[in-house]
Amino acid sequence: MFEDNAEYGYGIYKSQVVRRNKLTSAVEAALASSAPSPALKAALQKWYDGRQDPDVSIACYDELLPLLEKEKSKPEIKAVADYQDMLPKATTWILGGDGWAYDIGYGGVDHVLAQGEDINVLVLDTEMYANTGGQQSKATQMSAVAKFAAGGKPLMKKDLGRMAMQYKNVYVASIAVGADPRQAIKAIVEAESYDGPSLVINYSPCMQHGMPASTGMSCMAQEAEKAVSSGYWPLYRYDPRRAEKGENPFQLDFKKLKGKVDDFLEGENRFSILTRQNPEAAKELHKQLQEEIEKRHAERVRMAMSDKQLWKELNKVYGKKK
């Protein structure tokens, strides 16, 4: 069940940790014995020294398989061969939608991220329960019309990325594959290489958004580009490793906004339907959304500044007040 997605994925991860620890113990025992041939012993030592490196462990896996097969009649070698599938460094990604990550399964997501272990979470954010008919979720944006928000959602969406950053040791990225695939790939590679918990949130246009019939789902990339360029969807990366080197861990990958959020909203039925049904409410909610998005963007710009840049901006503000 998707409600237990995080817990289930974490269980899979923990089982891999246990099995790999058993493999490591078996390799240590084999290296301490006289059982392995010189070639096998050298290959086992190479794996042991580089077992946490994905490239090294995979290369050693290819080298070790035939050697283990030849000598697995020996008890010490058989103990290693029993766990040979764990020779490559495994990776665990937990995938799910926003209804799960922001709402019904958020407790599990938060619990997994809070453990500080090397596990990754990828959220495909459609900003509603798209798989069950389009009900609102905590990921649903202000003014969007959805089931249980027929008059337009009155509150801003939950800032899942910002919440995860408060742990300081979680890698966090907000991406939009359709809008900027290079940034998305860079974020996923960084998340994978980070030895700790990672959260990657991807903007995922879906049929429930009600894009124009003339374009529809065939223009998902263009729709994502509009969302990013207007500031509706942010692109950023938060990497704790940068803080360890004395650098700003937060990097904003799209700083200069182009156009207004209204231009993006009118292209999707989930927003434009409110304009047709209740123009006054739509005008007010869209105005509030524009203001809140500008505030959040300004906050992210400040977060991305170096200490020197931030002090410069503060001096401008307080200098004027004086």
Side-chain angles (χ1 to χ4, degrees):
M1 295 296 287
F2 81 96
E3 292 92 337
D4 305 321
N5 201 10
E7 294 88 334
Y8 185 82
Y10 187 57
I12 293 293
Y13 166 78
K14 293 298 285 185
S15 71
Q16 291 175 338
V17 170
V18 170
R19 296 186 73 242
R20 205 156 197 259
N21 285 342
K22 288 184 176 181
L23 169 64
T24 302
S25 297
V27 170
E28 289 174 342
L31 288 172
S33 73
S34 58
S37 65
L40 177 55
K41 193 163 190 174
L44 287 173
Q45 188 65 57
K46 183 180 177 182
W47 176 86
Y48 186 80
D49 294 338
R51 63 189 182 279
Q52 293 304 108
D53 186 310
D55 294 331
V56 172
S57 63
I58 289 174
C60 289
Y61 172 74
D62 294 332
E63 182 183 358
L64 278 166
L65 281 188
L67 296 173
L68 291 170
E69 183 63 28
K70 287 180 182 178
E71 303 182 39
K72 68 179 183 181
S73 59
K74 303 170 186 176
E76 296 89 345
I77 308 306
K78 185 180 182 302
V80 175
D82 285 345
Y83 293 100
Q84 64 185 24
D85 61 313
M86 298 307 298
L87 286 168
K89 185 178 184 296
T91 182
T92 304
W93 280 86
I94 299 172
L95 277 66
D98 55 275
W100 158 71
Y102 286 74
D103 267 2
I104 199 166
Y106 172 70
V109 172
D110 180 61
H111 177 75
V112 168
L113 295 177
Q115 301 312 301
E117 300 197 59
D118 188 12
I119 193 166
N120 310 292
V121 179
L122 174 61
V123 179
L124 305 178
D125 193 345
T126 64
E127 301 195 314
M128 63 177 67
Y129 281 92
N131 64 319
T132 55
Q135 295 90 346
Q136 72 162 328
S137 75
K138 290 186 183 72
T140 302
Q141 189 54 278
M142 176 187 283
S143 80
V145 173
K147 292 181 180 179
F148 308 118
K153 186 164 176 275
L155 301 173
M156 286 290 287
K157 73 177 291 178
K158 185 178 188 176
D159 195 342
L160 186 63
R162 187 72 178 270
M163 293 169 72
M165 284 182 224
Q166 303 310 305
Y167 281 117
K168 306 299 183 185
N169 68 324
V170 178
Y171 178 94
V172 185
S174 177
I175 66 175
V177 172
D180 192 340
R182 289 186 179 181
Q183 186 263 355
I185 291 171
K186 188 172 185 178
I188 291 170
V189 169
E190 287 178 347
E192 169 60 32
S193 66
Y194 177 59
D195 187 16
S198 302
L199 172 67
V200 180
I201 309 168
N202 179 60
Y203 182 63
S204 306
C206 72
M207 291 179 67
Q208 300 289 349
H209 290 184
M211 287 172 270
S214 58
T215 56
M217 294 298 290
S218 64
C219 292
M220 288 174 58
Q222 291 87 335
E223 201 65 20
E225 286 175 3
K226 291 177 185 176
V228 170
S229 63
S230 66
Y232 180 86
W233 185 267
L235 299 181
Y236 62 76
R237 289 168 294 129
Y238 177 90
D239 192 338
R241 289 169 294 194
R242 290 175 57 85
E244 293 171 3
K245 296 186 291 185
E247 300 172 350
N248 188 342
F250 185 80
Q251 300 171 87
L252 187 61
D253 293 320
F254 196 94
K255 296 180 181 179
K256 294 185 179 181
L257 304 185
K258 304 171 185 177
K260 293 291 183 180
V261 173
D262 263 348
D263 299 332
F264 166 71
L265 301 183
E266 289 307 311
E268 296 193 356
N269 195 51
R270 57 176 171 150
F271 294 107
S272 62
I273 191 173
L274 187 62
T275 303
R276 296 192 297 272
Q277 293 179 348
N278 192 337
E280 289 302 315
K283 182 179 179 181
E284 182 58 31
L285 282 173
H286 290 179
K287 178 185 175 184
Q288 289 181 37
L289 176 59
Q290 177 73 54
E291 292 173 351
E292 290 300 321
I293 283 177
E294 288 177 356
K295 284 181 185 177
R296 288 192 179 188
H297 180 71
E299 288 176 1
R300 294 185 183 107
V301 169
R302 287 193 292 272
M303 286 171 63
M305 288 180 177
S306 65
D307 290 342
K308 186 176 181 180
Q309 290 172 319
L310 186 56
W311 277 114
K312 187 176 179 180
E313 291 299 313
L314 288 173
N315 284 331
K316 284 182 183 178
V317 174
Y318 288 107
K320 288 179 181 179
K321 286 187 177 181
K322 289 179 181 178

mmCIF file of all heavy atoms in Angstrom, residues 37-73:
data_model
loop_
_atom_site.group_PDB
_atom_site.id
_atom_site.type_symbol
_atom_site.label_atom_id
_atom_site.label_comp_id
_atom_site.label_asym_id
_atom_site.label_seq_id
_atom_site.Cartn_x
_atom_site.Cartn_y
_atom_site.Cartn_z
ATOM 1 N N SER A 37 42.804 -18.583 -2.698
ATOM 2 C CA SER A 37 44.017 -18.575 -3.514
ATOM 3 C C SER A 37 44.569 -17.151 -3.544
ATOM 4 O O SER A 37 43.853 -16.195 -3.207
ATOM 5 C CB SER A 37 43.689 -19.038 -4.930
ATOM 6 O OG SER A 37 42.814 -18.093 -5.548
ATOM 7 N N PRO A 38 45.820 -16.974 -3.963
ATOM 8 C CA PRO A 38 46.383 -15.615 -4.030
ATOM 9 C C PRO A 38 45.549 -14.663 -4.880
ATOM 10 O O PRO A 38 45.351 -13.500 -4.503
ATOM 11 C CB PRO A 38 47.766 -15.849 -4.647
ATOM 12 C CG PRO A 38 48.129 -17.227 -4.228
ATOM 13 C CD PRO A 38 46.848 -18.012 -4.249
ATOM 14 N N ALA A 39 45.016 -15.160 -6.013
ATOM 15 C CA ALA A 39 44.214 -14.297 -6.895
ATOM 16 C C ALA A 39 42.910 -13.888 -6.216
ATOM 17 O O ALA A 39 42.508 -12.719 -6.265
ATOM 18 C CB ALA A 39 43.923 -15.018 -8.208
ATOM 19 N N LEU A 40 42.266 -14.855 -5.570
ATOM 20 C CA LEU A 40 41.006 -14.554 -4.884
ATOM 21 C C LEU A 40 41.252 -13.645 -3.680
ATOM 22 O O LEU A 40 40.474 -12.712 -3.429
ATOM 23 C CB LEU A 40 40.329 -15.849 -4.431
ATOM 24 C CG LEU A 40 39.023 -15.689 -3.638
ATOM 25 C CD1 LEU A 40 38.008 -14.857 -4.426
ATOM 26 C CD2 LEU A 40 38.433 -17.054 -3.278
ATOM 27 N N LYS A 41 42.313 -13.889 -2.968
ATOM 28 C CA LYS A 41 42.612 -13.068 -1.793
ATOM 29 C C LYS A 41 42.854 -11.615 -2.193
ATOM 30 O O LYS A 41 42.371 -10.687 -1.530
ATOM 31 C CB LYS A 41 43.841 -13.623 -1.070
ATOM 32 C CG LYS A 41 44.043 -13.028 0.321
ATOM 33 C CD LYS A 41 44.989 -13.880 1.141
ATOM 34 C CE LYS A 41 44.988 -13.431 2.610
ATOM 35 N NZ LYS A 41 45.796 -14.331 3.458
ATOM 36 N N ALA A 42 43.566 -11.411 -3.291
ATOM 37 C CA ALA A 42 43.837 -10.054 -3.767
ATOM 38 C C ALA A 42 42.537 -9.360 -4.186
ATOM 39 O O ALA A 42 42.329 -8.173 -3.900
ATOM 40 C CB ALA A 42 44.816 -10.096 -4.934
ATOM 41 N N ALA A 43 41.661 -10.113 -4.855
ATOM 42 C CA ALA A 43 40.385 -9.551 -5.308
ATOM 43 C C ALA A 43 39.483 -9.219 -4.120
ATOM 44 O O ALA A 43 38.796 -8.198 -4.119
ATOM 45 C CB ALA A 43 39.691 -10.530 -6.247
ATOM 46 N N LEU A 44 39.489 -10.100 -3.104
ATOM 47 C CA LEU A 44 38.686 -9.849 -1.905
ATOM 48 C C LEU A 44 39.199 -8.620 -1.151
ATOM 49 O O LEU A 44 38.405 -7.813 -0.641
ATOM 50 C CB LEU A 44 38.716 -11.068 -0.979
ATOM 51 C CG LEU A 44 37.905 -12.294 -1.423
ATOM 52 C CD1 LEU A 44 38.178 -13.476 -0.495
ATOM 53 C CD2 LEU A 44 36.409 -11.971 -1.452
ATOM 54 N N GLN A 45 40.509 -8.479 -1.087
ATOM 55 C CA GLN A 45 41.100 -7.316 -0.397
ATOM 56 C C GLN A 45 40.749 -6.029 -1.128
ATOM 57 O O GLN A 45 40.436 -5.010 -0.497
ATOM 58 C CB GLN A 45 42.614 -7.477 -0.309
ATOM 59 C CG GLN A 45 43.286 -6.417 0.559
ATOM 60 C CD GLN A 45 42.879 -6.507 2.019
ATOM 61 O OE1 GLN A 45 43.048 -7.541 2.651
ATOM 62 N NE2 GLN A 45 42.337 -5.414 2.563
ATOM 63 N N LYS A 46 40.787 -6.106 -2.448
ATOM 64 C CA LYS A 46 40.440 -4.935 -3.257
ATOM 65 C C LYS A 46 38.996 -4.527 -3.016
ATOM 66 O O LYS A 46 38.677 -3.348 -2.874
ATOM 67 C CB LYS A 46 40.668 -5.253 -4.734
ATOM 68 C CG LYS A 46 40.415 -4.090 -5.676
ATOM 69 C CD LYS A 46 40.673 -4.508 -7.114
ATOM 70 C CE LYS A 46 40.367 -3.390 -8.096
ATOM 71 N NZ LYS A 46 40.575 -3.820 -9.502
ATOM 72 N N TRP A 47 38.109 -5.536 -2.957
ATOM 73 C CA TRP A 47 36.697 -5.235 -2.689
ATOM 74 C C TRP A 47 36.531 -4.652 -1.286
ATOM 75 O O TRP A 47 35.813 -3.669 -1.095
ATOM 76 C CB TRP A 47 35.841 -6.509 -2.805
ATOM 77 C CG TRP A 47 34.399 -6.248 -2.430
ATOM 78 C CD1 TRP A 47 33.416 -5.788 -3.244
ATOM 79 C CD2 TRP A 47 33.812 -6.371 -1.123
ATOM 80 N NE1 TRP A 47 32.236 -5.624 -2.534
ATOM 81 C CE2 TRP A 47 32.451 -5.971 -1.227
ATOM 82 C CE3 TRP A 47 34.296 -6.780 0.121
ATOM 83 C CZ2 TRP A 47 31.584 -5.982 -0.147
ATOM 84 C CZ3 TRP A 47 33.425 -6.780 1.214
ATOM 85 C CH2 TRP A 47 32.091 -6.390 1.076
ATOM 86 N N TYR A 48 37.197 -5.248 -0.325
ATOM 87 C CA TYR A 48 37.055 -4.817 1.075
ATOM 88 C C TYR A 48 37.479 -3.361 1.243
ATOM 89 O O TYR A 48 36.805 -2.590 1.924
ATOM 90 C CB TYR A 48 37.899 -5.716 1.974
ATOM 91 C CG TYR A 48 37.716 -5.447 3.448
ATOM 92 C CD1 TYR A 48 36.619 -5.947 4.132
ATOM 93 C CD2 TYR A 48 38.645 -4.678 4.151
ATOM 94 C CE1 TYR A 48 36.443 -5.698 5.493
ATOM 95 C CE2 TYR A 48 38.490 -4.419 5.499
ATOM 96 C CZ TYR A 48 37.378 -4.929 6.168
ATOM 97 O OH TYR A 48 37.210 -4.665 7.510
ATOM 98 N N ASP A 49 38.565 -2.995 0.606
ATOM 99 C CA ASP A 49 39.069 -1.622 0.723
ATOM 100 C C ASP A 49 38.162 -0.614 0.020
ATOM 101 O O ASP A 49 38.071 0.545 0.452
ATOM 102 C CB ASP A 49 40.481 -1.527 0.140
ATOM 103 C CG ASP A 49 41.498 -2.333 0.946
ATOM 104 O OD1 ASP A 49 41.227 -2.605 2.133
ATOM 105 O OD2 ASP A 49 42.550 -2.699 0.374
ATOM 106 N N GLY A 50 37.505 -1.030 -1.063
ATOM 107 C CA GLY A 50 36.685 -0.078 -1.825
ATOM 108 C C GLY A 50 35.209 -0.409 -1.832
ATOM 109 O O GLY A 50 34.472 0.017 -2.732
ATOM 110 N N ARG A 51 34.749 -1.142 -0.819
ATOM 111 C CA ARG A 51 33.366 -1.642 -0.835
ATOM 112 C C ARG A 51 32.315 -0.545 -0.783
ATOM 113 O O ARG A 51 31.175 -0.752 -1.191
ATOM 114 C CB ARG A 51 33.144 -2.632 0.306
ATOM 115 C CG ARG A 51 33.296 -2.041 1.712
ATOM 116 C CD ARG A 51 33.281 -3.149 2.773
ATOM 117 N NE ARG A 51 33.374 -2.641 4.129
ATOM 118 C CZ ARG A 51 34.494 -2.283 4.725
ATOM 119 N NH1 ARG A 51 35.647 -2.358 4.062
ATOM 120 N NH2 ARG A 51 34.481 -1.835 5.973
ATOM 121 N N GLN A 52 32.677 0.642 -0.293
ATOM 122 C CA GLN A 52 31.700 1.726 -0.220
ATOM 123 C C GLN A 52 31.671 2.572 -1.493
ATOM 124 O O GLN A 52 30.844 3.469 -1.623
ATOM 125 C CB GLN A 52 32.000 2.627 0.980
ATOM 126 C CG GLN A 52 31.789 1.936 2.327
ATOM 127 C CD GLN A 52 30.385 1.381 2.477
ATOM 128 O OE1 GLN A 52 30.168 0.176 2.433
ATOM 129 N NE2 GLN A 52 29.418 2.259 2.653
ATOM 130 N N ASP A 53 32.567 2.279 -2.421
ATOM 131 C CA ASP A 53 32.614 2.994 -3.692
ATOM 132 C C ASP A 53 31.823 2.197 -4.730
ATOM 133 O O ASP A 53 32.192 1.055 -5.037
ATOM 134 C CB ASP A 53 34.064 3.156 -4.151
ATOM 135 C CG ASP A 53 34.195 4.024 -5.399
ATOM 136 O OD1 ASP A 53 33.463 3.772 -6.377
ATOM 137 O OD2 ASP A 53 35.036 4.937 -5.395
ATOM 138 N N PRO A 54 30.739 2.758 -5.278
ATOM 139 C CA PRO A 54 29.902 2.007 -6.230
ATOM 140 C C PRO A 54 30.671 1.472 -7.430
ATOM 141 O O PRO A 54 30.501 0.308 -7.811
ATOM 142 C CB PRO A 54 28.847 3.041 -6.661
ATOM 143 C CG PRO A 54 28.779 4.014 -5.542
ATOM 144 C CD PRO A 54 30.169 4.091 -5.002
ATOM 145 N N ASP A 55 31.526 2.302 -8.034
ATOM 146 C CA ASP A 55 32.271 1.876 -9.218
ATOM 147 C C ASP A 55 33.257 0.753 -8.887
ATOM 148 O O ASP A 55 33.370 -0.236 -9.627
ATOM 149 C CB ASP A 55 33.011 3.066 -9.832
ATOM 150 C CG ASP A 55 32.061 4.116 -10.383
ATOM 151 O OD1 ASP A 55 30.952 3.753 -10.796
ATOM 152 O OD2 ASP A 55 32.427 5.308 -10.393
ATOM 153 N N VAL A 56 33.969 0.890 -7.777
ATOM 154 C CA VAL A 56 34.944 -0.123 -7.374
ATOM 155 C C VAL A 56 34.243 -1.436 -7.038
ATOM 156 O O VAL A 56 34.674 -2.519 -7.458
ATOM 157 C CB VAL A 56 35.772 0.360 -6.167
ATOM 158 C CG1 VAL A 56 36.647 -0.772 -5.624
ATOM 159 C CG2 VAL A 56 36.638 1.550 -6.548
ATOM 160 N N SER A 57 33.149 -1.354 -6.283
ATOM 161 C CA SER A 57 32.458 -2.580 -5.851
ATOM 162 C C SER A 57 31.858 -3.335 -7.032
ATOM 163 O O SER A 57 31.847 -4.567 -7.054
ATOM 164 C CB SER A 57 31.376 -2.250 -4.813
ATOM 165 O OG SER A 57 30.372 -1.422 -5.361
ATOM 166 N N ILE A 58 31.352 -2.616 -8.022
ATOM 167 C CA ILE A 58 30.796 -3.277 -9.211
ATOM 168 C C ILE A 58 31.900 -3.941 -10.023
ATOM 169 O O ILE A 58 31.754 -5.071 -10.504
ATOM 170 C CB ILE A 58 30.013 -2.266 -10.077
ATOM 171 C CG1 ILE A 58 28.718 -1.864 -9.367
ATOM 172 C CG2 ILE A 58 29.696 -2.862 -11.448
ATOM 173 C CD1 ILE A 58 27.944 -0.768 -10.056
ATOM 174 N N ALA A 59 33.032 -3.265 -10.174
ATOM 175 C CA ALA A 59 34.169 -3.840 -10.902
ATOM 176 C C ALA A 59 34.674 -5.094 -10.187
ATOM 177 O O ALA A 59 34.992 -6.111 -10.831
ATOM 178 C CB ALA A 59 35.286 -2.807 -11.031
ATOM 179 N N CYS A 60 34.724 -5.038 -8.865
ATOM 180 C CA CYS A 60 35.168 -6.194 -8.080
ATOM 181 C C CYS A 60 34.170 -7.348 -8.189
ATOM 182 O O CYS A 60 34.563 -8.526 -8.199
ATOM 183 C CB CYS A 60 35.340 -5.808 -6.620
ATOM 184 S SG CYS A 60 36.769 -4.743 -6.306
ATOM 185 N N TYR A 61 32.911 -7.034 -8.286
ATOM 186 C CA TYR A 61 31.861 -8.048 -8.432
ATOM 187 C C TYR A 61 32.117 -8.883 -9.686
ATOM 188 O O TYR A 61 32.098 -10.127 -9.649
ATOM 189 C CB TYR A 61 30.504 -7.361 -8.506
ATOM 190 C CG TYR A 61 29.338 -8.270 -8.843
ATOM 191 C CD1 TYR A 61 28.838 -9.155 -7.893
ATOM 192 C CD2 TYR A 61 28.739 -8.227 -10.095
ATOM 193 C CE1 TYR A 61 27.764 -9.988 -8.192
ATOM 194 C CE2 TYR A 61 27.667 -9.050 -10.403
ATOM 195 C CZ TYR A 61 27.173 -9.933 -9.445
ATOM 196 O OH TYR A 61 26.114 -10.752 -9.750
ATOM 197 N N ASP A 62 32.378 -8.210 -10.797
ATOM 198 C CA ASP A 62 32.644 -8.919 -12.050
ATOM 199 C C ASP A 62 33.907 -9.774 -11.959
ATOM 200 O O ASP A 62 33.972 -10.867 -12.537
ATOM 201 C CB ASP A 62 32.791 -7.916 -13.203
ATOM 202 C CG ASP A 62 31.485 -7.178 -13.495
ATOM 203 O OD1 ASP A 62 30.416 -7.754 -13.230
ATOM 204 O OD2 ASP A 62 31.547 -6.034 -13.978
ATOM 205 N N GLU A 63 34.877 -9.280 -11.220
ATOM 206 C CA GLU A 63 36.138 -10.009 -11.072
ATOM 207 C C GLU A 63 35.992 -11.202 -10.124
ATOM 208 O O GLU A 63 36.573 -12.278 -10.342
ATOM 209 C CB GLU A 63 37.223 -9.055 -10.558
ATOM 210 C CG GLU A 63 38.593 -9.691 -10.397
ATOM 211 C CD GLU A 63 39.622 -8.723 -9.820
ATOM 212 O OE1 GLU A 63 39.276 -7.544 -9.589
ATOM 213 O OE2 GLU A 63 40.778 -9.161 -9.605
ATOM 214 N N LEU A 64 35.180 -11.029 -9.072
ATOM 215 C CA LEU A 64 35.090 -12.041 -8.023
ATOM 216 C C LEU A 64 34.198 -13.233 -8.374
ATOM 217 O O LEU A 64 34.458 -14.360 -7.914
ATOM 218 C CB LEU A 64 34.571 -11.395 -6.730
ATOM 219 C CG LEU A 64 35.617 -10.665 -5.884
ATOM 220 C CD1 LEU A 64 34.952 -9.791 -4.832
ATOM 221 C CD2 LEU A 64 36.547 -11.679 -5.215
ATOM 222 N N LEU A 65 33.157 -13.015 -9.166
ATOM 223 C CA LEU A 65 32.205 -14.097 -9.439
ATOM 224 C C LEU A 65 32.876 -15.387 -9.927
ATOM 225 O O LEU A 65 32.633 -16.466 -9.353
ATOM 226 C CB LEU A 65 31.142 -13.635 -10.438
ATOM 227 C CG LEU A 65 30.007 -12.769 -9.887
ATOM 228 C CD1 LEU A 65 28.941 -12.544 -10.942
ATOM 229 C CD2 LEU A 65 29.386 -13.384 -8.644
ATOM 230 N N PRO A 66 33.689 -15.346 -10.981
ATOM 231 C CA PRO A 66 34.317 -16.595 -11.431
ATOM 232 C C PRO A 66 35.294 -17.184 -10.417
ATOM 233 O O PRO A 66 35.424 -18.407 -10.296
ATOM 234 C CB PRO A 66 35.036 -16.187 -12.724
ATOM 235 C CG PRO A 66 35.218 -14.715 -12.630
ATOM 236 C CD PRO A 66 34.043 -14.210 -11.864
ATOM 237 N N LEU A 67 35.978 -16.320 -9.664
ATOM 238 C CA LEU A 67 36.929 -16.800 -8.660
ATOM 239 C C LEU A 67 36.205 -17.493 -7.513
ATOM 240 O O LEU A 67 36.657 -18.546 -7.025
ATOM 241 C CB LEU A 67 37.769 -15.633 -8.126
ATOM 242 C CG LEU A 67 38.684 -14.931 -9.134
ATOM 243 C CD1 LEU A 67 39.322 -13.693 -8.505
ATOM 244 C CD2 LEU A 67 39.772 -15.900 -9.624
ATOM 245 N N LEU A 68 35.083 -16.930 -7.077
ATOM 246 C CA LEU A 68 34.300 -17.541 -6.007
ATOM 247 C C LEU A 68 33.717 -18.877 -6.456
ATOM 248 O O LEU A 68 33.638 -19.838 -5.684
ATOM 249 C CB LEU A 68 33.177 -16.595 -5.567
ATOM 250 C CG LEU A 68 33.588 -15.328 -4.824
ATOM 251 C CD1 LEU A 68 32.398 -14.386 -4.662
ATOM 252 C CD2 LEU A 68 34.175 -15.675 -3.455
ATOM 253 N N GLU A 69 33.278 -18.938 -7.708
ATOM 254 C CA GLU A 69 32.696 -20.164 -8.247
ATOM 255 C C GLU A 69 33.712 -21.312 -8.206
ATOM 256 O O GLU A 69 33.358 -22.465 -7.893
ATOM 257 C CB GLU A 69 32.226 -19.927 -9.692
ATOM 258 C CG GLU A 69 31.533 -21.108 -10.335
ATOM 259 C CD GLU A 69 30.247 -21.488 -9.637
ATOM 260 O OE1 GLU A 69 29.598 -20.606 -9.036
ATOM 261 O OE2 GLU A 69 29.902 -22.687 -9.680
ATOM 262 N N LYS A 70 34.968 -21.021 -8.496
ATOM 263 C CA LYS A 70 36.012 -22.050 -8.524
ATOM 264 C C LYS A 70 36.334 -22.592 -7.128
ATOM 265 O O LYS A 70 36.697 -23.772 -6.972
ATOM 266 C CB LYS A 70 37.297 -21.480 -9.133
ATOM 267 C CG LYS A 70 37.242 -21.274 -10.639
ATOM 268 C CD LYS A 70 38.575 -20.710 -11.123
ATOM 269 C CE LYS A 70 38.546 -20.442 -12.625
ATOM 270 N NZ LYS A 70 39.831 -19.856 -13.099
ATOM 271 N N GLU A 71 36.206 -21.726 -6.107
ATOM 272 C CA GLU A 71 36.698 -22.112 -4.781
ATOM 273 C C GLU A 71 35.608 -22.212 -3.711
ATOM 274 O O GLU A 71 35.915 -22.333 -2.528
ATOM 275 C CB GLU A 71 37.770 -21.113 -4.327
ATOM 276 C CG GLU A 71 38.942 -21.001 -5.295
ATOM 277 C CD GLU A 71 40.030 -20.042 -4.815
ATOM 278 O OE1 GLU A 71 40.316 -20.040 -3.601
ATOM 279 O OE2 GLU A 71 40.590 -19.304 -5.643
ATOM 280 N N LYS A 72 34.346 -22.193 -4.106
ATOM 281 C CA LYS A 72 33.278 -22.163 -3.107
ATOM 282 C C LYS A 72 33.064 -23.492 -2.380
ATOM 283 O O LYS A 72 32.211 -23.587 -1.489
ATOM 284 C CB LYS A 72 31.964 -21.682 -3.732
ATOM 285 C CG LYS A 72 31.342 -22.627 -4.738
ATOM 286 C CD LYS A 72 30.031 -22.015 -5.240
ATOM 287 C CE LYS A 72 29.322 -22.957 -6.205
ATOM 288 N NZ LYS A 72 28.057 -22.349 -6.702
ATOM 289 N N SER A 73 33.836 -24.509 -2.736
ATOM 290 C CA SER A 73 33.770 -25.769 -1.984
ATOM 291 C C SER A 73 34.389 -25.605 -0.597
ATOM 292 O O SER A 73 34.124 -26.384 0.324
ATOM 293 C CB SER A 73 34.487 -26.885 -2.756
ATOM 294 O OG SER A 73 35.847 -26.549 -2.975
#
